[in-house]
């Protein structure tokens, strides 16, 4: 069965995903503004309480995926904390300036995740996120990640949107590495059947909509604009599109 993962930013989003029939959520903060950063521990706890498996994005800041030693250390501690708060997986990724995988950072985070999972008495999965989409040879990198022990990758096939990356996605799904390939980035309801047909293991989308902000934005509050929330209609449509093609 192809897994449906919904990217959410709060407990309400997780509740909507669960009630509509999604299999898992990825939790992050500031998705639209930053591409996603690590949420608060209280948010992790609230989302875990909704009952679906929760994979937490661990990313200290927006921008590229080349990190300092201090940032790697902070993210290692974040991994411990979100697993202690009930996360069943973490989503990570790090590169070197030459766009090769930062093996040291990934090994560190994997080791921390596995140990934290053992302490909590449960298996914790590790996903390498869309840093994969900026490397020059994603299939070779997928094999490297398999050797490191990564469970899953999240990828658009290196394209701005997954429906334009089907060639790479097909190659990743057929590489036989044992690493699960989850498609995310620009996934639409209409594109789900084509993406599932590639033989991928999972489909990931945010299913978000923008609603009016009920209050004004003052100095220090950021740029004015709407608020993002998970759409029940989009999640339900994604579930229907996925299940009808299995």
């Amino acid at each position: 069965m192809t897994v449906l993962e919904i990217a959410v930013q709060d407990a309400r989003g997780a509740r909507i995903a669960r009630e509509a029939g999604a299999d898992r959520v990825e939790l992050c903060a500031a998705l639209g503004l930053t591409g996603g950063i690590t949420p608060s521990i209280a948010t992790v706890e609230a989302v875990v309480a909704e009952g679906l498996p929760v994979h937490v994005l661990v990313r200290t800041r927006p921008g590229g995926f080349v990190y300092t030693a201090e940032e790697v250390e902070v993210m290692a501690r974040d991994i411990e904390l979100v697993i202690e708060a009930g996360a069943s997986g973490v989503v990570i990724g790090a590169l070197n300036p030459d766009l090769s995988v930062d093996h040291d950072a990934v090994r560190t985070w994997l080791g921390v995740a596995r140990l934290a999972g053992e302490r909590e008495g449960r298996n914790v999965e590790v996903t390498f996120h869309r840093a994969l989409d900026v490397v020059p040879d994603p299939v070779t990198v997928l094999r490297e990640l398999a050797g490191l022990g990564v469970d899953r990758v999240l990828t658009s096939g290196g394209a701005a949107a997954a429906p334009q990356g089907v060639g790479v996605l097909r190659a990743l799904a057929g590489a036989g590495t044992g690493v699960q390939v989850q498609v995310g980035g620009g996934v639409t309801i209409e594109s789900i059947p084509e993406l599932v047909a590639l033989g991928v293991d999972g489909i990931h989308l945010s299913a978000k909509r923008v609603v009016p902000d009920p209050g004004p934005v003052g100095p220090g509050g950021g740029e004015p604009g709407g608020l993002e929330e998970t759409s029940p209609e989009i999640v339900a449509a994604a579930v229907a599109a996925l299940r009808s093609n299995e």
Side-chain angles (χ1 to χ4, degrees):
M1 185 180 73
T2 309
V3 169
L4 178 65
E5 178 180 272
I6 302 297
V8 304
Q9 302 181 75
D10 53 30
R12 182 174 181 272
R15 189 176 316 122
I16 288 168
R18 172 174 53 79
E19 291 174 349
D23 301 295
R24 182 174 63 229
V25 296
E26 180 195 72
L27 175 62
C28 66
L31 179 58
L33 290 174
T34 68
I37 55 176
T38 309
S40 72
I41 294 301
T43 302
V44 176
E45 292 172 338
V47 171
V48 167
E50 290 298 325
L52 279 180
V54 180
H55 289 190
V56 177
L57 177 64
V58 177
R59 182 177 178 230
T60 55
R61 56 162 174 77
F65 307 112
V66 178
Y67 298 111
T68 65
E70 289 81 5
E71 288 174 317
V72 171
E73 184 177 349
V74 168
M75 284 187 271
R77 180 58 178 148
D78 277 335
I79 288 168
E80 289 182 317
L81 292 173
V82 301
I83 292 171
E84 289 172 6
S88 57
V90 291
V91 183
I92 55 92
L95 302 175
N96 296 309
D98 65 358
L99 301 185
S100 61
V101 173
D102 184 340
H103 287 207
D104 290 341
V106 173
R107 284 194 188 98
T108 294
W109 295 335
L110 277 162
V112 169
R114 303 305 187 208
L115 287 174
E118 287 176 11
R119 287 197 299 269
E120 297 298 317
R122 63 179 184 275
N123 181 53
V124 172
E125 298 181 330
V126 176
T127 299
F128 192 93
H129 57 47
R130 294 188 60 199
L132 181 66
D133 289 328
V134 300
V135 305
D137 186 348
V139 175
T140 295
V141 169
L142 183 69
R143 295 191 177 100
E144 291 180 28
L145 295 173
L148 290 170
V150 167
D151 299 294
R152 180 182 300 103
V153 294
L154 174 63
T155 176
S156 66
Q164 284 78 58
V166 292
V168 173
L169 291 169
R170 185 180 291 109
L172 291 168
T177 63
V179 177
Q180 295 179 33
V181 176
Q182 179 169 258
V183 180
V187 173
T188 62
I189 303 303
E190 295 74 19
S191 67
I192 288 175
E194 178 186 16
L195 296 171
V196 171
L198 299 174
V200 299
D201 301 283
I203 299 292
H204 166 107
L205 71 161
S206 65
K208 62 182 170 61
R209 64 188 177 191
V210 178
V211 298
D213 190 334
V217 177
E223 295 295 324
L227 302 177
E228 295 174 347
E229 67 175 21
T230 304
S231 164
E233 294 80 12
I234 297 176
V235 178
V239 171
L242 182 62
R243 301 303 176 228
S244 66
N245 284 275
E246 290 181 337

